[in-house]
Amino acid sequence: MRTVFISLILICFLYGKTVGQESPLPHYIEDGLNNNLVLQQKHLSLQRAMNALQVAKSMYLPAVDVDVSYTHAKGGRSINLPVGDLLNPVYSTLNTLTQSQAFPQIQNETINFLPQNYYDAKVRTIVPLINTNITYNKQIKTDAVRLQESEVGIYKRELVKEIKEAYYQHLSALQMEGIYKSSLDLAHEGLRSNQKLLDAGKGLPAYIIRAKAEIAQIESQLAEVENNIKNSALYFNALLNRDADAFIERDSTLFLEQNQSLQDGREIDVSHREELLALQAGIAMQESALQMNKRYLVPKVSGFLDLGSQAEGLKFNQDSRYFMVGLTLSMPLFQGNRNRLKIEETKIDLAESWNRKAQAEQQLTLAARAARNDVLAALKNYEKSKVQLEAASTYQRLIQRGYSEGVNSYIETIDARSQYTSAKLSVNLSQLQVLAALAKLERESATFQIP
């Protein structure tokens, strides 16, 4: 796209200031970024992802557990040992030969399989030696943190735009209130003038009725604007998580004009948009999952060490104490081809993610270009509204002078005032549209420096 540089008069919308004055809007944005409830929830989600990452890192460390068991049983399966039947004849023969009772008779034994009054207490240490899942899981959790950071950035940019638009809307409503009040004063002045003329026998009763109707119409419009002021203040304070009736400082420099340059036609870079960074983090997570699934044949090897004591009768001595070391190996041999199918499924998910990222890049680029075009159109409308206001102001003065000299009718003065009021409202609306368009362009091009 060819580069065209268009120098335009912009509205000072971000940090409009005069000497000795500073816009309160940056402070409101800072308050919103610090206090907004939805943003606080986003930060909690980020903290949860960071905690999950710490858990994934801890999987490299040994796991030490204490395992104590106590059992006592009676009955159940048993084995008979006929030791008496086997040894008593031998003992009798020995006693006869030795002419003594040195070899007493013994009873047959019955031994139960279930232990009685038995305990086993041990400290088991398990160390992962080979486990590729731990490495890839750590990488997935790292990318999950990046994803949540991008989500926080996305909402911050959207919140900044919403705060600006809400602030502009509130100030615009306040300006509209001033316009209607000024128009109402002129309408009351017209009623007084016509009443004096009627009292002097030079006026018409129809003009009095028309003046009262005009006042009622303006008062109705003023009531609607006052309601818009209240609602816009409520929404603005809600974004900042403030009291609903909190005072909103007016920025008297916001609608002042300054000469700035808007360079149009240059390609807008959206590669640093948080939306794309979030999608890229999701793609990285899926790539790590794919690599992890591909290594399902890599054996998982762990070492363990047991230090403990076991005995019946709660005995603890040199004979009850023991240690045991060993290795465990786990490796799948046959799982119904589920691992290969899982790999193919992950590949499809990854391809879909790349497709979504390409679509997002296209949509974000189009949105940024459209936002820039909206700014240019809003600026043109603003310039035209100023011309209309100047013409309406001149026309209103001429008609008012003609009415004072008896050349123009009162209906013409009402029409002139109506055109003048409409022109001022049009300028106000055009200013609001320019400010909103610039805020949207800033959002789409991600030019605001988020802390």
Side-chain angles (χ1 to χ4, degrees):
M1 185 178 183
R2 61 176 185 168
T3 303
V4 181
F5 297 95
I6 304 175
S7 180
L8 298 169
I9 297 178
L10 296 182
I11 301 298
C12 181
F13 72 105
L14 287 175
Y15 303 103
K17 60 180 74 174
T18 56
V19 178
Q21 292 181 323
E22 183 178 358
S23 172
L25 184 55
H27 301 290
Y28 286 139
I29 293 175
E30 182 179 0
D31 290 342
L33 294 176
N34 292 331
N35 303 322
N36 183 265
L37 292 178
V38 178
L39 187 57
Q40 291 177 8
Q41 180 62 42
K42 296 289 185 181
H43 281 294
L44 291 176
S45 299
L46 174 59
Q47 186 63 43
R48 183 182 296 108
M50 295 177 67
N51 290 340
L53 175 59
Q54 295 302 319
V55 172
K57 290 181 178 180
S58 68
M59 299 301 292
Y60 288 104
L61 302 177
V64 181
D65 298 313
V66 176
D67 186 6
V68 179
S69 63
Y70 171 82
T71 56
H72 178 72
K74 286 185 178 181
R77 293 185 302 160
S78 62
I79 182 171
N80 296 319
L81 296 178
V83 292
D85 295 340
L86 294 174
L87 297 179
N88 284 338
V90 177
Y91 285 172
S92 297
T93 301
L94 291 174
N95 287 332
T96 302
L97 293 175
T98 59
Q99 298 295 318
S100 68
Q101 295 296 324
F103 300 94
Q105 299 294 300
I106 60 176
Q107 300 294 326
N108 291 331
E109 293 291 336
T110 299
I111 299 177
N112 292 90
F113 282 96
L114 298 178
Q116 297 180 0
N117 198 21
Y118 171 83
Y119 81 94
D120 182 7
K122 61 185 176 183
V123 176
R124 165 160 287 193
T125 302
I126 301 177
V127 181
L129 301 177
I130 301 175
N131 193 336
T132 57
N133 287 355
I134 295 178
T135 301
Y136 288 111
N137 185 61
K138 172 177 170 282
Q139 185 59 47
I140 290 173
K141 297 303 182 182
T142 301
D143 294 327
V145 172
R146 290 171 47 208
L147 176 61
Q148 288 299 325
E149 289 175 343
S150 299
E151 292 291 338
V152 171
I154 291 172
Y155 187 77
K156 279 185 175 182
R157 291 201 180 278
E158 190 65 24
L159 179 62
V160 169
K161 180 179 77 72
E162 291 293 329
I163 291 175
K164 288 185 176 183
E165 290 181 347
Y167 187 67
Y168 302 152
Q169 187 71 37
H170 182 68
L171 293 190
S172 178
L174 291 174
Q175 281 200 344
M176 291 178 65
E177 181 187 36
I179 293 172
Y180 279 120
K181 284 183 176 180
S182 177
S183 179
L184 185 61
D185 291 338
L186 292 176
H188 278 294
E189 181 62 29
L191 176 61
R192 286 192 295 270
S193 299
N194 281 286
Q195 187 64 50
K196 289 180 180 180
L197 291 175
L198 182 63
D199 294 341
K202 298 181 180 180
L204 296 175
Y207 288 170
I208 300 297
I209 297 174
R210 184 66 180 83
K212 291 181 179 180
E214 181 188 12
I215 291 174
Q217 180 183 9
I218 297 175
E219 287 177 344
S220 175
Q221 294 170 334
L222 183 59
E224 183 179 354
V225 169
E226 290 173 347
N227 184 62
N228 291 337
I229 292 174
K230 294 178 182 179
N231 291 338
S232 61
L234 287 174
Y235 180 61
F236 180 77
N237 287 326
L239 289 175
L240 273 61
N241 192 23
R242 304 195 308 172
D243 293 337
D245 56 350
F247 175 74
I248 301 176
E249 184 180 353
R250 299 188 186 186
D251 185 359
S252 58
T253 67
L254 188 63
F255 293 103
L256 296 180
E257 296 180 3
Q258 291 183 346
N259 291 329
Q260 300 182 4
S261 293
L262 177 65
Q263 294 179 341
D264 183 35
R266 295 184 299 177
E267 194 70 23
I268 298 178
D269 183 18
V270 297
S271 60
H272 58 289
R273 287 282 298 267
E274 287 80 5
E275 291 85 350
L276 296 180
L277 297 179
L279 290 172
Q280 186 61 48
I283 290 173
M285 293 171 64
Q286 291 178 325
E287 288 177 340
S288 297
L290 177 60
Q291 295 302 319
M292 181 174 65
N293 293 336
K294 285 182 176 180
R295 284 163 175 76
Y296 69 94
L297 288 176
V298 177
K300 297 175 177 60
V301 180
S302 299
F304 70 89
L305 168 65
D306 288 348
L307 300 175
S309 174
Q310 58 179 226
E312 291 185 350
L314 299 179
K315 296 177 181 179
F316 181 78
N317 50 41
Q318 184 175 358
D319 294 332
S320 68
R321 294 190 293 270
Y322 71 94
F323 79 92
M324 181 185 299
V325 295
L327 296 174
T328 61
L329 182 145
S330 176
M331 179 179 174
L333 296 180
F334 177 75
Q335 295 183 345
N337 208 29
R338 289 190 294 272
N339 289 314
R340 295 185 181 277
L341 293 175
K342 191 174 182 180
I343 291 173
E344 294 302 320
E345 181 181 357
T346 307
K347 288 181 178 180
I348 294 174
D349 293 339
L350 186 59
E352 289 180 345
S353 296
W354 278 111
N355 184 268
R356 284 195 296 269
K357 184 174 183 291
Q359 292 182 35
E361 288 178 343
Q362 184 182 63
Q363 293 172 357
L364 292 175
T365 301
L366 292 176
R369 292 175 179 176
R372 182 177 55 195
N373 294 335
D374 291 341
V375 171
L376 297 176
L379 287 169
K380 291 180 180 178
N381 292 334
Y382 174 64
E383 293 298 325
K384 293 178 180 178
S385 66
K386 289 196 299 181
V387 174
Q388 293 175 355
L389 176 60
E390 183 178 358
S393 177
T394 302
Y395 178 71
Q396 194 267 342
R397 288 196 302 270
L398 293 175
I399 294 298
Q400 186 65 37
R401 182 185 304 171
Y403 175 70
S404 301
E405 296 174 355
V407 176
N408 298 103
S409 66
Y410 179 66
I411 300 300
E412 290 178 307
T413 63
I414 294 177
D415 178 67
R417 281 203 303 269
S418 178
Q419 291 186 31
Y420 179 61
T421 300
S422 298
K424 288 198 292 184
L425 292 174
S426 178
V427 170
N428 176 269
L429 179 61
S430 298
Q431 289 175 330
L432 176 62
Q433 289 175 342
V434 170
L435 294 173
L438 287 169
K440 184 177 180 181
L441 176 60
E442 180 188 57
R443 168 69 180 92
E444 297 297 342
S445 58
T447 55
F448 185 85
Q449 298 298 323
I450 295 180

